[in-house]
Amino acid sequence: AQLLRLTIGKLSDIGITVLAVTSDATAHSVQMAKALGIHIDGDDMKCTFQHPSSSSQQIAYFFDSCHLLRLIRNAFQNFQSIQFINGIAHWQHLVELVALEEQELSNMERIPSTLANLKNHVLKVNSATQLFSENVASALEYLLSLDLPPFQNCIGTIHFLRLINNLFDIFNSRNCYGKGLKGPLLPETYSKINHVLIEAKTIFVTLSDTSNNQIIKGKQKLGFLGFLLNAES
């Protein structure tokens, strides 16, 4: 934290203004953030710290969205089921999706070609961005419409996947010409982006495991709290 303050001060000396800092989402980074004055607790969140060279300027803090996504994926697999106000998200639906791809997908003419080779996009250790995607949510939605028994109660899973995908798109925006939630934060996109952030905050505080333990108070909370901190920033 002290080295970071020193670096920001040196940059200020040569005319470069630091507006925000992004770190990975590890235990060491959390300790650094706390040392800077960032509060990650869901009940008392503080997303900025004092600029070392300007008493009137605050610097926003972000966690890298790719790391947060991986943490949420690990938590989802560990809990197997996550309860929230819009339903229950089940990891088993993703397992069933892969099983269907292996056994039947290539023989089902009604399945869109975009659903082919789902095994390459789901349940891989380093593929969190593919797991929480619109493609997987749409695949489950389509299978739900076919009234297949393994997917009859997957509304909650679809909602959960879409919410995480939307958050990732917002914080992984890289192109000033991006469309939708992948676009930059502008007056004309603020309302849509803010709606997703408010929805995430409303839902994340209600997340619980099958024993009704609040997830953002437990050991695997950082992925969810990290996105809430990013939303505040």
Side-chain angles (χ1 to χ4, degrees):
Q2 195 58 32
L3 285 172
L4 183 61
R5 288 193 184 97
L6 179 62
T7 303
I8 293 171
K10 293 291 186 182
L11 289 170
S12 180
D13 291 343
I14 61 172
I16 296 175
T17 302
V18 175
L19 301 177
V21 169
T22 302
S23 77
D24 55 12
T26 64
H28 289 102
S29 296
V30 170
Q31 291 303 312
M32 180 184 71
K34 290 180 178 179
L36 289 168
I38 301 299
H39 297 168
I40 306 172
D41 190 293
D43 298 325
D44 183 27
M45 193 162 282
K46 183 176 184 294
C47 65
T48 62
F49 63 94
Q50 182 68 52
H51 193 294
S53 302
S54 173
S55 59
S56 62
Q57 184 184 346
Q58 294 285 315
I59 298 175
Y61 197 95
F62 290 88
F63 285 113
D64 180 76
S65 54
C66 293
H67 290 197
L68 296 176
L69 209 62
R70 191 175 299 119
L71 291 174
I72 291 178
R73 178 219 180 272
N74 293 343
F76 190 16
Q77 185 176 24
N78 178 63
F79 292 124
Q80 292 291 305
S81 295
I82 292 179
Q83 303 176 129
F84 57 106
I85 55 176
N86 296 88
I88 304 177
H90 296 282
W91 180 262
Q92 184 62 28
H93 289 142
L94 304 174
V95 176
E96 296 287 353
L97 190 60
V98 172
L100 180 63
E101 190 274 339
E102 292 177 337
Q103 299 169 13
E104 302 179 32
L105 199 55
S106 60
N107 298 322
M108 295 177 66
E109 294 181 0
R110 293 177 60 195
I111 296 289
S113 59
T114 54
L115 303 191
N117 299 320
L118 280 174
K119 188 178 180 182
N120 295 327
H121 301 280
V122 183
L123 303 182
K124 293 172 64 177
V125 174
N126 296 317
S127 297
T129 54
Q130 296 169 335
L131 172 66
F132 295 105
S133 68
E134 180 59 33
N135 285 342
V136 173
S138 296
L140 289 176
E141 203 166 47
Y142 186 82
L143 294 169
L144 175 65
S145 72
L146 297 180
D147 204 28
L148 298 177
F151 305 100
Q152 285 180 348
N153 65 336
C154 67
I155 290 290
T157 306
I158 294 168
H159 193 118
F160 182 69
L161 295 180
R162 281 211 169 107
L163 174 60
I164 303 301
N165 172 69
N166 289 342
L167 284 173
F168 180 75
D169 282 349
I170 290 171
F171 295 114
N172 199 44
S173 174
R174 303 182 182 191
N175 188 341
C176 63
Y177 301 107
K179 303 297 182 182
L181 295 174
K182 294 182 179 181
L185 180 60
L186 298 168
E188 56 266 32
T189 62
Y190 171 80
S191 179
K192 188 174 183 178
I193 290 174
N194 192 50
H195 175 78
V196 175
L197 302 184
I198 291 174
E199 180 187 16
K201 186 172 184 178
T202 302
I203 288 177
F204 282 4
V205 297
T206 71
L207 296 177
S208 65
D209 60 21
T210 53
S211 299
N212 290 319
N213 297 311
Q214 194 174 13
I215 290 177
I216 63 169
K217 298 291 186 180
K219 292 182 178 180
Q220 291 189 284
K221 61 186 178 181
L222 182 55
F224 302 100
L225 286 179
F227 271 124
L228 292 184
L229 182 79
N230 287 3
E232 291 294 325
S233 292

